[in-house]
Amino acid sequence: MERMRRLRTKISDLQVGDRKLRFRKAVICTGGRATVPPIPGLRESSYMTHVQLFNLTELPRRFVVIGGGPIGLEMAQSFRRFGSDVTLLEAAPRILGPEDPEASAILQRSLEADGVRVVVDAGIERVEDVDGGASIKIHLQPKGGPREEVVCDKLLVAAGRAANVENLGLEAAGVHIVVTNALFGGRGPPVLAPSTRVSGIVVPRVTFTEPEAERAGLEVDVFRADLEHNDRCILEGDHHGGFVKILCKKGTQQVVGGVIVAERAGEMLAEITLAAQHGIPVSALGHTVHPYPTAGEGVQQCALGYVRQHWEKLPPKA
């Protein structure tokens, strides 16, 4: 595939290599790539990203992951359960840095219970191939700990992704939200997104570890329900200390996000996403009968926290 080198300010002209393309409307889909942090020696080493990871044909005995975000956590737990000795290195003070601190702590305990060694504030100084390229050595200076060396058979770099938009001149061309504007005249597609503006879309995100975790977040009132007394969680032996939090705009019933740590957090999060996207008040979640026994009852119990605090002020049912 030819690489797009230059986008001229005139929208009807697009230079692709030596060819000039003329069009009425065009969508340029450049995709993204895995980012690689500027650690000395890393780019010269035999590291992998998620792109190469799934081409492995043998299970590495020693597996190291750089990055404590969703991909890093998912792969660290998976490879540990496959049987690898796994070390997870995170530069920040905790894993899942942008997420809820309580969710982060529960997931770290879960990973460590599986046998994953988690090193935060890892202080990675240098990476190098050793043993003729058969192994990789990572030099660390963890905060508050002694300098050490970690040797592995495979190294996964899971430090996020970046969009491939360099040198395209998108700002000069006035490109913002392409598909809905170019193909649907700004009306939006007939399905999927509820808005043509990114700021108008509530997008859930899930880290598929065991348990799963998720969140979205402004100045808020927080309503919380623990899942340790949820009958479905008790039945299935979920003892990770899961919980549900619903975040409402302060002093209102407007749901603006939530945090869930549970075995099926991704499935449970849809209800909170629906409320946030379409303005369903939190009390409506509390007044909705949920199937029993399900972990989803945790969402109702969480919403009932609002109802219990404000029951005298809620309007009577029709």
Side-chain angles (χ1 to χ4, degrees):
M1 183 179 70
E2 294 183 84
R3 183 172 179 81
M4 297 171 213
R5 299 292 184 185
R6 182 160 56 98
L7 178 64
R8 295 186 174 182
T9 56
K10 192 175 181 180
I11 295 296
S12 58
D13 291 343
L14 178 67
Q15 192 77 25
V16 182
D18 297 329
R19 298 175 58 193
K20 179 186 290 186
L21 305 180
R22 292 185 176 275
F23 49 82
R24 184 170 63 88
K25 294 180 180 180
V27 175
I28 304 172
C29 301
T30 58
R33 64 186 184 279
T35 57
V36 180
I39 299 171
L42 179 57
R43 288 187 178 274
E44 293 73 36
S45 72
S46 304
Y47 74 91
M48 301 179 299
T49 68
H50 68 280
V51 176
Q52 297 84 29
L53 178 66
F54 297 101
N55 293 328
L56 290 178
T57 57
E58 295 182 1
L59 182 69
R61 183 173 65 85
R62 301 167 298 180
F63 188 64
V64 170
V65 179
I66 294 178
I71 293 177
L73 299 187
E74 291 165 4
M75 293 302 101
Q77 188 175 61
S78 295
F79 274 79
R80 177 61 194 131
R81 293 187 174 188
F82 290 153
S84 298
D85 292 330
V86 179
T87 300
L88 176 72
L89 305 177
E90 168 56 49
R94 62 182 177 90
I95 60 174
L96 284 182
E99 306 298 345
D100 184 274
E102 188 176 6
S104 170
I106 291 175
L107 290 182
Q108 180 166 336
R109 290 197 299 269
S110 176
L111 289 169
E112 291 172 339
D114 278 345
V116 176
R117 183 192 177 203
V118 179
V119 183
V120 297
D121 280 323
I124 303 176
E125 296 181 328
R126 181 165 51 93
V127 176
E128 61 178 328
D129 283 352
V130 294
D131 301 329
S135 304
I136 304 170
K137 182 182 292 185
I138 303 101
H139 299 261
L140 308 178
Q141 176 57 74
K143 185 176 181 180
R147 180 175 274 104
E148 62 176 295
E149 298 173 351
V150 177
V151 179
C152 62
D153 304 302
K154 295 295 180 182
L155 171 63
L156 172 65
V157 175
R161 293 181 59 78
N164 296 325
V165 294
E166 295 87 350
N167 304 317
L168 287 180
L170 299 182
E171 299 83 0
V175 175
H176 299 292
I177 301 174
V178 180
V179 176
T180 54
N181 291 333
L183 303 183
F184 294 93
R187 298 188 307 276
V191 294
L192 298 180
S195 172
T196 59
R197 297 168 52 198
V198 172
S199 61
I201 302 174
V202 177
V203 181
R205 59 186 187 270
V206 180
T207 300
F208 289 99
T209 50
E210 185 180 338
E212 300 171 8
E214 256 340 285
R215 153 175 205 147
L218 185 110
E219 190 174 356
V220 296
D221 293 322
V222 180
F223 302 95
R224 174 197 167 103
D226 289 316
L227 294 176
E228 61 181 355
H229 301 301
N230 178 278
D231 287 349
R232 182 61 174 267
C233 294
I234 294 172
L235 180 67
E236 297 190 351
D238 178 8
H239 303 300
H240 294 291
F243 63 87
V244 179
K245 291 181 183 178
I246 295 178
L247 314 179
C248 292
K249 186 176 180 181
K250 196 166 188 63
T252 76
Q253 291 203 56
Q254 181 186 345
V255 178
V256 295
V259 186
I260 302 177
V261 176
E263 295 291 350
R264 295 176 179 83
E267 299 165 18
M268 296 165 63
L269 189 64
E271 185 175 7
I272 298 176
T273 304
L274 178 71
Q277 182 68 72
H278 297 287
I280 300 171
V282 66
S283 62
L285 301 183
H287 288 141
T288 300
V289 177
H290 287 57
Y292 172 87
T294 62
E297 286 183 288
V299 176
Q300 181 185 19
Q301 290 300 318
C302 192
L304 283 174
Y306 176 90
V307 174
R308 294 184 184 106
Q309 287 186 20
H310 300 84
W311 68 272
E312 292 182 347
K313 300 178 184 178
L314 292 176
K317 291 290 184 181

